[in-house]
């Protein structure tokens, strides 16, 4: 069974593994909805529109697992929420590759969507995960850690 949260090497987990893990929970019968966010590599740099060649993602694994676990635990205690899972990948990624899966199971969609949004916003701002963008621009190829240019 897949653990509820974590940092994973690219390719070690897929979205079906996450959905199966949620559905295997003892209390899944209380769920009437699963919301899923899949973050993928965008082909255009956020700030200047340069072409993204690839991304490199790194994490402080132990701390990131701890932070992601706390987020999931906090949100699982909200009314009607059955499960919250956050799985983030590290490694080298091409445009279109999956970077993160965030899943929320709950009694009703009205409970699932706000929690899904909060989970995404919180992992983006709280987890020690670092993204290096490799781009091709008019000046040629370059690479930079995203926090060096913008917060997205």
């Amino acid at each position: 069974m897949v653990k509820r949260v974590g940092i994973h090497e690219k390719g070690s987990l897929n979205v079906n593994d996450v959905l199966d893990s949620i559905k295997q929970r003892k209390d899944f019968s209380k769920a009437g909805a699963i919301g899923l966010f899949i973050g993928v590599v965008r082909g255009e740099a956020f700030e200047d529109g340069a072409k993204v060649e690839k991304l490199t993602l790194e994490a402080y694994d132990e701390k990131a697992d701890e932070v992601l676990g706390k987020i999931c635990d906090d949100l699982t205690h909200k009314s009607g929420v059955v499960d919250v899972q956050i799985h983030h990948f590290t490694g080298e990624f091409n445009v279109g590759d999956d970077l993160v899966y965030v899943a929320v199971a709950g009694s009703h969609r009205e409970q699932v969507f706000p929690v899904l949004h909060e989970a995404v916003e919180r992992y983006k701002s709280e987890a020690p995960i670092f993204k290096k963008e490799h781009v091709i621009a008019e000046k040629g190829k370059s690479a930079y850690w995203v926090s060096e240019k913008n917060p997205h």
Side-chain angles (χ1 to χ4, degrees), residues 34-78:
I34 299 174
L36 179 65
F37 171 82
I38 302 174
V40 299
V41 178
R42 182 179 35 249
E44 191 173 280
F46 183 79
E47 191 171 278
D48 58 9
K51 180 181 176 189
V52 172
E53 183 178 31
K54 66 181 180 178
L55 290 183
T56 303
L57 273 89
E58 296 178 4
Y60 175 11
D61 292 1
E62 277 184 19
K63 185 65 175 173
D65 283 348
E66 179 184 314
V67 169
L68 297 177
K70 180 171 181 0
I71 293 167
C72 290
D73 289 345
D74 289 351
L75 297 177
T76 299
H77 288 98
K78 292 193 176 239

Side-chain angles (χ1 to χ4, degrees), residues 8-40:
H8 309 274
E9 284 297 316
K10 177 186 173 185
S12 64
L13 180 74
N14 67 52
V15 70
N16 289 327
D17 297 330
V18 175
L19 293 173
D20 288 345
S21 170
I22 291 170
K23 290 179 178 182
Q24 290 171 10
R25 288 184 55 96
K26 285 183 254 175
D27 56 350
F28 181 70
S29 63
K30 296 177 183 177
I34 299 174
L36 179 65
F37 171 82
I38 302 174
V40 299

